[in-house]
Amino acid sequence: MFIFRLKRIDGLRACLPSTSTRRHHHRGGWFPSARYFLHSTHGNGRFRTPMATSLRTLNSYSSSSSSNENGSSKIDSADSYLSQLRAKGLTAEEAESISNALFNPANDGTKRSIINESIDVYISMKKRRTETGGESITNPGFYVRSIVRRQLLETGENNNPSSADPKSENQQVETVMQKLNGTPLPSCLQNNDIGPNELNEKCLIALSRCPNSMADNAIKAYARQKLRRKTNGTDGISNPSSYVMAVLRNIIAESPEFNPSSPMDSPENNGLENTSASVIEEESGGLTENTESPPMKRSATSNFFDSETTTPKPQMNQPQNQQTQSTHVTEGRKDNKTDLKLERATMGSVDECLSCLEKLEQPIIQLSGVGPKTESSFHKLGIYTLRDLLWHFPRSFIDRSKLQKSIHDVSDGDVGTFRLKVHADKARHNSVTCTDEAGNNVDVTFFYGRSRQGMAMVSAAMKNLCKEDIYSMIVSGKVKHSDRKVIGLFNPDIVVPSDQVDSLGIEAVYSLSSGLTQKKLIASVEESLVAAGELLSLLPESISDDALEKLRWPKLADALIIAHKPTSMAESGLDSPARQRIAFEELSMQQAQLALSRWKIKYFGISTDLQSKEVFTSWRDSPLVSAAVSSLPFELTPSQMQCLDDMWDDTVVNKSRMLRLLQGDVGSGKTVLAYLLGLGCIEARQGGGKVVSLLCPTQLLAAQHVRTIKEFASRLQGKSTKSQIQSIHVELLTGNVVGKSRDELLARLESISDSDAVFLIGTHALTTPDIVSRLMQLPSVTSRDNKGLALAVVDEEQRFGVRQRQALTSCSAHSLFMSATPIPRSISLKRSGLMDFTLLESESRKVETTIVSSGDLDKVLTVLGSKIDAGSKCFWVLPRIVRSAADGGNNDSNVMDRYKTLKQILGEERVCHIHGRMSEQEREEQLANFADPSSKAAVLVGTTVIEVGIDIPDSNILIVEDADRFGLSQLHQLRGRIGRAGSRQDLKCQCLLLSSTIDVDQDDSNSLTRLQILQKCNRGAEIADADMLLRGPGDMLGYHQSGMKSGFTVDPAIHWGLLEAATKFGRSFLQEPSKKDAVDGMSEDESRRSPPTNDTLENLLAEGKMTSFYDQTSASTSQGLALRIMMALFGEWKNDESNPLEAINTLQKLDASKGELAQHDQSIHAKIVAFCDGSNTFQIANTSSLETSIGLEEQVLPIKPHVAVLNYQEPKEDRLNLLGDDVMFIVLDVETTGLDDKSCHIIQLAAKVLGSDDEDDLFSEYILPPIDRIPKIIEELTGITDSFLREGGYDTALGKERETARDFRQVYNDFEEFCNKRAKGRQLVFVAHNAKFDIKMINGELRRWRLSEHAESAPVLGEIFSSSLDTLQLFRGRKWTSPPRPSSFSLSNLHSHVFNESATNSHNAVGDIKALERLLLSETFNGWQKAANGIHRPFIKVNE
């Protein structure tokens, strides 16, 4: 009450929260804006509450009331001055703005009179604009200061040095310089080309009294700025002395121990008068001198930033056009933003911000009332810290304040609020009949169980409802309809008297897990909001008040409160102003990180020296490339030449790295451009300067590229060129090139002659760590510093994971990605400007695409027969090789079954088949037979192995069975196999997509939509864009190639329109890459398909009324510190791919490259990095307890009981590092006859080298158990029958015939040999889902072995494996955000949950290890090795 009485005193309303910062809620009371959480004092850094501020201002107001009306009396404090301004009728914001701009206790009576007159002019102008409907004055301080400046110039009170006698001033300077002879200062001025009269007397005196290093740094800063302005053709520095003094004051501020009043480096005073900090202050700032404004007063929005300047302010004696030019950036901001560019961050401000961040990162268990059980419930929701709570927004809201007249207006199960007349005489023991305002009877019932506590709760609720003196109650709860005429309210949430209706409001409803209640979650969210408010109160608002007002957005701190606790339903939606404000801030941070990523990729670490003696500005001038073009068997199209021009500028001409996407349709000629660009990079000695790599997804495509480039190279080598490159070699590296062959290939690359060029073509083997490390060290021709590949080309980039692409491009000077249908992530990178883009236009033959029901297969076969008779050739593609157990074994949509069917219908000689399990020789034979014009083969049945690398011109029909199981990119690539150059023009090109989704009424999976897109579109670019819209843009900062990367607060469907403005806003500190570059690379169709924009935002940015706050990056500036803190606030510290630490480090490198890095910046940066690095931990439940228990558990219950009594090695403290190169993961699974290791047996053992695409790296053997028969339930579960084990048969998991199963000892020996051959000195890790079970069952078999007559040869698992990893524990401990935490962690459920499809051959050991491998290699579980380091369990080693 006292606060609200104070509000009535004139002049105090500014000190209390305004109406806009108070949020009313259904619980009553008010929640202040986050800006009011913390207010620092001017010197001691203590906190002040709004009450304290009010009382202090009251005293100031009283003390200032004795001032003269004209304000001519001296003003001792800023608070007194504020009170006087408020007494003139100015608002709090106006008074604060004018005080910041003009308050200076040193002003004399004349200047104070001029200021008061100028304020009166402002008040009159404001009144006139209000009456005429004109625009309001957005920056009162700037407006009044401009009037004061003009008045001072007219009256001569400005003490402009230019008005003084220049001759007299020069004499004073000469006198000072004579006294400075013998000191380092004159030579320092001369070395930096600064004239003797360029600086005035006071500036020279101040420089002489500072340490040599300080004076030298200040003079050099001025010299650099002068040279930069001269180079750029901009206006020079009008007042050099003020500039130098401003820089000097910044340097002194970083050295608080320096006292300029005492001589430092000068051995004697040299007759110069004593100079103190006041000289520097007087010369470089203050209205009494020549600067535009006085030193800033610290305001509530910048409590923890010093007000020293980082760049000089414009001078009063500048021409008017220069003044306007210098201040236009800040003119659009209100008072609290006018001088933000001049603020500096102190170490105290950094500590305060990091302390608040640390509070937000504290574990959820630190909250009051949260114990281990509640913590576990929070973890199920993905909430581990207070910051996670901040982003856990309500899923819905209930408007309790809206009263319903009739209960019939509310549907069954919905919540309604009613004013009910209670009939106490109709009360029963747990219910009472009431009447709503429409006269309907309403039964209010309470039931909380039959326990004593439940009965007591019912009694209390009934007593509260049926009060003797109150007959009208407000009841809110869920309405329950029934067959009876009376509708009821069961266990209503709120029951209050009617006079308390105003206490009801909007109630948030959060997603819960078992063990959590809404009350507990809301209380926890309140604590996180308080912590966030403390942090945001330390940081300036990034958007000006004027812009926020036009956008109708709240400030960020208020937006967080409103998002969780809105005052109306209009504030509760995802499109509400509060949620838009938060999403815009996060999008800006994402864009800032993207801009930094691009800068680091393209410019960081680039050598300033050209790598070759001569740089050809065009490929036409290059002897090697021009000769290669002329030797081609065809002419380049205009589009190809234009694309080559763009890529040539980006690689050979510009001093930057290339990261470019070449998008061209199937058969458009991308490969020849990669070949020509590779020659150019080798000739220009980019990177290592001798090797170009070309990564292909399949061996078929790799072999095709080898043939193509060899043909190009042979034609070129037949010509004489003036190039130093004399010969071109083509090497092939696939998974089949192993051992000695691989070593010899790498040795050839490392020892290649300087006059040779090599094209290294390969599959996934190129991305393995050992190959990448060797490629990275390829020696350079001209420099020791430049190593690696000259160019890395990734063909069909949509077929590779993000890490696979990055592994290869990390060891290359330039990177080129090629595809007809790029992945959504690449499209996003292209549109965002992070990746440069080149579109290769081409003319292709149109293919008629038709969607056909799978039920019409017979009709398709009939038509196909007639087409073949007419000379057509057909590709028939299916999703699987053999029948799948997941389909019940009844689906014949597989290669083997369809091959048999077509042979029966069309004839055996007319049908061929191909799939990935064939040997390379078998595949080549089938392809040759189909491609041979003299052959009768007309149909090739196969899997997607024919997607790329197949060029058979005569083929003109494509049939895709179960087409809904394929992606858009795959289908378009498959369609590219027909209608190629050289095909018969008399035959129509047709594509038939067979799918059962056409018969379904509702398609929830977008399968039919994908097929319809393919039917309408023939161009790859259109299909890729449609694919991105369907699947989402992916994670540009991380490794997700598709899906919606929404961060914490962004809903892509709702906030997509903010992206354009957020890109400009978040990247303001870095001109590269500009949005124009990204747009210029788009076609007209793509520009039309660009995302929608927020018109108000775009207009504000275009008109300069909303200038980006993040336009300075130095850590010691308010913008630079705020940028780092906000990236940390919105960053995902627990995920390596989007951890903001990388961006923060890059920000520091950017500052260093611009020469703007001071010691103070480095100190602040080090603190922030140390904090973020300490917070970068993978969340694993109970990791510490697991680590400490490993040693004890291994000793007490060893995995191999029989060696417990032997002398074994103690577990070492430096456990096996799973991130090292000396580790190999073996994924393993067993199928058994039961769960007991004593009575049950293993019937299948399967293992696979994780990540290998070599078929030889898969081990699968069946074991014949020593029992009469396999249990029926095991046969049904695994598909492994007793007859199969005893007699052999067709193995559906591997697609081949198997012989009789063998004894466990034979299988285990083969398994041990399999592992040892692949180890090659590396330590093997046993990886399994529920590894404890697999280890237990294998040890059970080994135990029987030891008890048999062959005991001497019995092995132990520890002889093969160094450690074991249980992925069940790994996945359970993961922090699940996207996708959400699964309901079950069984392998099959995990696979379905992550990939939205069932695992193939589930419950067969081969199917299970492949499913587990796919999970571990997926983007979802990126970084699992780091988490596994804390939970893997070492095997005990036996001493020999």
Side-chain angles (χ1 to χ4, degrees), residues 1304-1338:
F1304 174 79
R1305 288 184 290 108
Q1306 296 173 312
V1307 171
Y1308 189 87
N1309 286 332
D1310 289 348
F1311 170 67
E1312 185 173 15
E1313 183 181 1
F1314 167 85
C1315 294
N1316 291 334
K1317 279 185 176 180
R1318 281 146 186 83
K1320 295 181 181 179
R1322 290 172 288 188
Q1323 301 189 65
L1324 300 185
V1325 179
F1326 182 112
V1327 181
H1329 202 64
N1330 192 10
K1332 292 181 180 179
F1333 172 78
D1334 296 90
I1335 293 173
K1336 179 183 73 171
M1337 296 305 298
I1338 294 175

Side-chain angles (χ1 to χ4, degrees), residues 328-333 544 546 1098-1108:
H328 81 279
V329 175
T330 59
E331 192 173 350
R333 299 186 183 276
S544 67
D546 187 49
E1098 291 293 332
N1099 292 337
L1100 287 173
L1101 287 169
E1103 296 170 6
K1105 296 180 180 179
M1106 179 178 170
T1107 56
S1108 178

Side-chain angles (χ1 to χ4, degrees), residues 144 232 302 378 491 522 583 585 691 791 831 853 855 1054 1265:
V144 175
N232 296 337
S302 56
F378 275 114
N491 287 345
I522 289 173
E585 195 73 26
V691 181
L791 173 67
R831 290 213 169 152
S853 172
I1054 303 297

